[in-house]
Amino acid sequence: MQPDTPVTYVKGIGPKRAEVLEKTGITTFLELLYHFPRRYLDRRTIMPIAKLKIGSEATIVAKVLSMNMVRTRKRSYFQLLVGDDSGQLRCVWFNGAKYIQKIFKPGDAVAMSGRVEFYGGLQFVHPDYDILESDDYATLHTARIIPLYPSSMELKKVGLDSRGFRRQFHKIFETLPWQVTEIIPREILERLKFYDINRALRQIHFPDSATELDRAVRRFKFEELFFLQLLLAVKRRSIKEVRKQLRYDRTGVHLKRIYEKLPFELTDAQKRVIHEIWNDMKSETVMNRLLQGDVGSGKTAVALLCASIAIGNGYQAAVMAPTEILAEQHFRNLHQMGKPAGITVRLLIGGQKRSEREQILAEIENGVAELIVGTHAIIQESVAFQKLALVIIDEQHRFGVLQRSQLIEKGINPDVLVMTATPIPRTLSMTLYGDMDVSVLDELPARKGKITTRIVNIDQLDRVYEYIRGRIQRGEQAYIVYPLIEESAKLDLQAAIQGFEYLRDRVFADFRLALVHGGMKTTEKDKIMHCFSNGTVDILVSTTVIEVGVDNPNATIMVIENAERFGLTQIHQLRGRIGRGEKNGVCVLVERKRNEASHQRLRIISDTTDGFEISEQDLKLRGPGEFYGTRQHGFPKMKIADLLIDKELLKLARSEAFMLIKADPHLRRAEYSGTREHLVRKYSEYMNFVDVL
Ligand code: ADP
Ligand code: MG
């Protein structure tokens, strides 16, 4: 058997099973072998019913004694009474009773896992269950660890339920004299003392002991992380292989002129990061760098100073923002800050007059425009640059919109700096941005104004509004933000509009309020934002995060409605908008639906202002899904490794993978052929044409 032998060659897998397996992504022998147990029954982890502790998670092995539907006036449910030598326990299903009912029959040996509750007796509600064969039941009393396999309705129909898989794998391991090719380089396995693939496969399916199982799992976790990092190492190498056409030998006069006229002293972090970027710019290979910096850490100044180096050397630079409003803000700021060096800054966005646009396009092409500001469209559309050397992407909290391959396809390969305001925990940036070099602005400029964050409930709203009135009367301004969650965008928008009308007509009738939301035309939004910036609007009501991404140092108050519906990082970003001037800012989180979990989350945000700390906590609470979603650029989902838990293995996998690619960039050596083949076989869909091995 070879790794890519079709499953149909496996004894016991006919065309029907093969068809269903294919739907779950299993077509080859190796893929079948990687259908790992989802859990195990180990004699030592099974609890006798009499010893169960209320509130704990536990697994029992017992016999079905009786089963029946119970109908009360309120609801009906299915109950199953099971018992072992020590006692009895009730299992209850409120949902899916019809289906569950058909699964069990009295006398069945079952394994049940769940949270132990007490309700007139011990019970599990909606436990995780498996039906055991009589010989499983027997073997559990000897020392075996029994694997339980994930399955689905369709798989069950062709006999591949947990038991079916167990039989199938048993057959494979007991009867076939096979060996699969190792995919991790031998030297790594030996040095780090990981199990080889054949031993690990056997032990993960049919562990001889808990220790053997741990070793097997460890190997597969490492393997998964290792290939992920290998993929990233290859991507990074393919970028680094590109030689620059443009050369820098000095920082140029522009940098000095702008630096000297800055209204503030750069923080040490800003200086350090500029040096890191400058080193990349000087290097012979192109830059692919991520700059992480909390809201207010001063990324714009860094961007401008780096752009001024490029421009001082006779090249062009581009700054791209995720929205037109932000592009305009960058344009104004950069234009202002770039004046001492006489830099020609041009804004390119939709909605400009045709003649104006043509003029700008011509200037970009003939080189008059030195710094071009716009949205991502400037790189995607047919804009011809004369000598584009540096692209700076201000992503705010949105990632991965632009990929380097898009640039290369356009026939240009500038240095790329991606700036993000979401502090990404290190474990995640190692994968999400594992193909980039990372700089961190870990110091905030000293500010006069401080931000306090308060959680309030609706009963306290009147007092909050009263407080806001007072501050507006003193000439300050406020934001009121409503959630807009994609799945329920329509309802959310309605709620925001109603909230706005209520505030305008009832609460703040004597002030000037305006509403801005994502569904509005850009010109309309711009007009409103402009009114807020110049003070003709006192309170800006808005829906999405993007719309408030604009600076207004006079805005000191932010009310976040239904705060429990926002992500922590999102709230942190939002509140970074206030307290930018000299006065103290106040962020009020209105908690409308209180539950313990969401309240805990909001407490985190009111207790700390450190963006890294917050995202670390957010990650713990919500898992990495949210963060993955933010980078559209696909990369493989982890099946067995957990990026949060397996941090040490991740670091190890990363250093091994990067070392390997450094030693043999294309994995051409004979001893790496298994590794290379596996990478191509399994991960080619995550590579693009520039990443060729
Ligand atoms: P962000 O990193 O969120 O993009 P900005 O670049 O918009 O932050 O900077 C936020 C504010 O801080 C701006 O008003 C900017 O002028 C100011 N700023 C930037 N660097 C410094 C500094 N070193 N000292 C004082 N203020 C600074
Ligand atoms: Mg910014």
Side-chain angles (χ1 to χ4, degrees):
M1 301 295 274
Q2 291 301 313
D4 43 13
T5 305
V7 278
T8 41
Y9 286 74
V10 179
K11 262 213 185 79
I13 308 270
K16 255 197 181 158
R17 283 191 169 180
E19 198 190 313
V20 180
L21 282 171
E22 190 178 342
K23 280 190 203 142
T24 33
I26 299 173
T27 56
T28 65
F29 181 52
L30 196 69
E31 283 161 358
L32 179 64
L33 291 172
Y34 273 68
H35 186 75
F36 294 153
R38 84 195 142 89
R39 62 190 180 104
Y40 301 84
L41 284 181
D42 179 350
R43 192 171 51 104
R44 288 163 313 168
T45 56
I46 294 166
M47 295 285 288
I49 292 174
K51 290 238 171 91
L52 291 177
K53 289 204 179 66
I54 293 160
S56 69
E57 297 281 338
T59 300
I60 59 160
V61 166
K63 283 231 153 76
V64 175
L65 302 175
S66 66
M67 43 195 269
N68 61 302
M69 282 295 297
V70 179
R71 292 197 170 79
T72 67
R73 224 176 305 141
K74 273 192 184 150
R75 64 204 304 199
S76 59
Y77 57 91
F78 178 67
Q79 80 171 14
L80 193 73
L81 194 66
V82 300
D84 65 9
D85 296 342
S86 74
Q88 297 186 353
L89 173 140
R90 200 160 60 123
C91 299
V92 177
W93 282 268
F94 294 105
N95 309 319
K98 267 213 184 104
Y99 170 74
I100 295 286
Q101 208 170 2
K102 286 190 203 130
I103 293 174
F104 301 99
K105 42 180 205 312
D108 277 350
V110 291
M112 295 278 173
S113 299
R115 195 183 179 77
V116 185
E117 293 177 6
F118 190 86
Y119 190 79
L122 291 175
Q123 72 170 24
F124 282 153
V125 175
H126 293 171
D128 201 8
Y129 59 85
D130 282 283
I131 298 179
L132 305 173
E133 288 162 274
S134 49
D135 47 334
D136 289 338
Y137 197 62
T139 42
L140 271 173
H141 293 279
T142 62
R144 278 223 74 118
I145 298 174
I146 296 174
L148 302 176
Y149 291 89
S151 184
S152 66
M153 285 291 266
E154 287 205 297
L155 283 166
K156 280 177 188 156
K157 275 189 200 142
V158 293
L160 288 175
D161 54 3
S162 180
R163 272 199 280 185
F165 271 116
R166 189 154 62 234
R167 285 205 195 101
Q168 183 63 56
F169 282 118
H170 204 261
K171 218 179 277 168
I172 291 176
F173 282 98
E174 296 314 315
T175 62
L176 289 171
W178 53 269
Q179 291 265 307
V180 293
T181 327
E182 182 54 74
I183 54 179
I184 300 179
R186 287 268 161 212
E187 64 191 46
I188 295 180
L189 288 180
E190 278 159 25
R191 183 158 36 80
L192 301 177
K193 303 204 165 45
F194 284 115
Y195 277 8
D196 70 55
I197 189 166
N198 289 294
R199 181 172 185 184
L201 278 171
R202 173 172 288 273
Q203 291 301 329
I204 203 163
H205 286 283
F206 296 106
D208 287 325
S209 70
T211 331
E212 289 289 308
L213 174 59
D214 281 348
R215 299 282 309 262
V217 168
R218 194 172 147 77
R219 177 220 143 98
F220 287 116
K221 284 186 168 184
F222 176 78
E223 179 187 306
E224 193 170 54
L225 297 166
F226 176 72
F227 277 94
L228 170 69
Q229 292 300 329
L230 214 47
L231 177 72
L232 293 165
V234 168
K235 281 184 176 295
R236 188 163 181 279
R237 184 223 64 206
S238 72
I239 292 163
K240 288 285 168 202
E241 264 174 3
V242 184
R243 302 265 142 195
K244 258 183 226 178
Q245 292 105 343
L246 310 168
R247 279 296 142 78
Y248 293 96
D249 39 36
R250 60 205 160 91
T251 51
V253 288
H254 288 40
L255 176 76
K256 191 161 175 284
R257 286 192 187 139
I258 293 174
Y259 177 65
E260 280 168 356
K261 287 277 151 55
L262 280 178
F264 42 74
E265 177 64 22
L266 291 180
T267 63
D268 288 342
Q270 283 170 316
K271 288 182 193 161
R272 189 191 67 234
V273 165
I274 291 169
H275 273 111
E276 287 167 359
I277 297 168
W278 167 229
N279 275 333
D280 281 1
M281 291 169 76
K282 275 193 299 199
S283 123
E284 290 182 357
T285 57
V286 295
M287 168 167 75
N288 196 37
R289 187 170 283 277
L290 174 73
L291 171 58
Q292 290 191 40
D294 213 341
V295 243
S297 58
K299 294 185 289 296
T300 318
V302 171
L304 178 70
L305 290 167
C306 296
S308 74
I309 298 177
I311 295 161
N313 279 271
Y315 305 133
Q316 290 170 306
V319 173
M320 304 192 295
T323 66
E324 300 200 336
I325 294 183
L326 287 169
E328 285 178 20
Q329 174 180 299
H330 272 316
F331 171 70
R332 283 192 297 271
N333 286 344
L334 295 170
H335 177 70
Q336 189 59 34
M337 290 162 85
K339 268 186 187 159
I343 291 178
T344 310
V345 191
R346 288 288 180 267
L347 175 69
L348 188 69
I349 51 172
Q352 285 168 322
K353 269 199 233 101
R354 185 143 163 219
S355 55
E356 188 186 1
R357 187 178 171 83
E358 270 163 16
Q359 164 90 29
I360 294 167
L361 286 173
E363 288 176 343
I364 295 174
E365 193 160 0
N366 66 26
V368 168
E370 296 169 306
L371 181 58
I372 298 92
V373 184
T375 60
H376 294 105
I378 62 175
I379 212 75
Q380 283 146 1
E381 281 172 16
S382 54
V383 180
F385 290 87
Q386 193 204 31
K387 282 183 283 186
L388 182 61
L390 174 65
V391 171
I392 297 167
I393 308 171
D394 190 0
E395 301 258 303
Q396 294 286 73
H397 45 273
R398 294 211 237 153
F399 308 117
V401 181
L402 178 115
Q403 287 193 35
R404 169 153 316 254
S405 53
Q406 283 176 290
L407 290 169
I408 299 177
E409 276 163 38
K410 278 204 79 174
I412 47 174
N413 209 357
D415 286 323
V416 171
L417 179 69
V418 178
M419 306 196 294
T420 162
T422 308
I424 304 157
R426 172 111 185 94
T427 23
L428 273 192
S429 68
M430 248 195 278
T431 46
L432 284 170
Y433 290 99
D435 52 345
M436 305 182 96
D437 296 305
V438 178
S439 290
V440 183
L441 278 177
D442 49 9
E443 184 186 349
L444 290 180
R447 284 257 151 64
K448 300 214 175 77
K450 272 204 323 229
I451 306 177
T452 352
T453 302
R454 288 270 148 73
I455 308 172
V456 302
N457 57 39
I458 35 175
D459 299 335
Q460 295 162 291
L461 265 184
D462 285 340
R463 270 168 51 209
V464 170
Y465 292 151
E466 210 39 53
Y467 177 77
I468 296 177
R469 308 175 71 82
R471 292 194 59 157
I472 295 178
Q473 270 153 4
R474 277 181 269 146
E476 298 171 35
Q477 289 168 284
Y479 292 102
I480 298 181
V481 187
Y482 281 84
L484 190 87
I485 315 294
E486 243 145 71
E487 302 94 67
S488 51
K490 258 193 186 157
L491 285 176
D492 283 347
L493 184 56
Q494 250 176 3
I497 293 173
Q498 277 166 10
F500 165 69
E501 285 168 354
Y502 172 77
L503 291 169
R504 182 193 57 193
D505 302 339
R506 305 282 175 85
V507 184
F508 298 114
D510 41 342
F511 295 121
R512 296 160 300 179
L513 274 73
L515 173 73
V516 66
H517 60 80
M520 292 163 89
K521 277 213 206 87
T522 311
T523 46
E524 212 176 331
K525 281 193 279 195
D526 285 358
K527 230 167 68 194
I528 295 169
M529 293 310 303
H530 192 70
C531 290
F532 188 63
S533 302
N534 69 21
T536 37
V537 161
D538 303 308
I539 301 177
L540 184 70
V541 180
S542 82
T543 50
T544 54
V545 182
I546 302 290
E547 272 77 37
V548 291
V550 176
D551 259 354
N552 177 357
N554 193 47
T556 51
I557 296 160
M558 178 173 286
V559 177
I560 301 181
E561 270 291 346
N562 288 97
E564 71 279 358
R565 296 183 58 198
F566 286 85
L568 290 188
T569 1
Q570 237 178 337
I571 296 182
H572 180 64
Q573 299 255 330
L574 280 169
R575 82 176 161 184
R577 293 290 135 210
I578 51 167
R580 294 211 146 199
E582 312 217 323
K583 291 180 198 136
N584 290 337
V586 177
C587 175
V588 180
L589 307 176
V590 184
E591 192 181 24
R592 289 206 178 245
K593 274 210 189 94
R594 175 167 176 162
N595 70 48
E596 238 358 86
S598 66
H599 191 71
Q600 283 306 327
R601 292 199 315 123
L602 295 183
R603 285 291 297 275
I604 294 171
I605 208 93
S606 63
D607 288 351
T608 172
T609 51
D610 178 345
F612 271 97
E613 169 77 26
I614 289 166
S615 70
E616 196 71 67
Q617 297 285 350
D618 211 9
L619 181 65
K620 265 193 217 143
L621 289 168
R622 305 210 290 180
E626 188 89 1
F627 287 85
Y628 289 142
T630 51
R631 197 177 186 191
Q632 292 162 4
H633 149 187
F635 76 99
K637 282 257 145 65
M638 298 293 97
K639 277 195 192 141
I640 177 164
D642 183 319
L643 296 176
L644 297 184
I645 295 168
D646 304 314
K647 283 188 193 174
E648 291 311 311
L649 273 181
L650 174 61
K651 274 188 209 148
L652 195 60
R654 181 169 177 85
S655 71
E656 291 297 331
F658 276 70
M659 260 176 353
L660 183 62
I661 292 301
K662 197 167 173 204
D664 185 1
H666 298 266
L667 298 177
R668 292 216 175 101
R669 284 183 214 155
E671 67 258 41
Y672 303 142
S673 66
T675 306
R676 187 174 192 277
E677 273 165 30
H678 189 68
L679 189 63
V680 172
R681 189 167 54 220
K682 242 193 116 186
Y683 296 101
S684 55
E685 66 175 294
Y686 300 103
M687 301 190 196
N688 45 48
F689 74 103
V690 281
D691 304 330
V692 278
L693 258 180

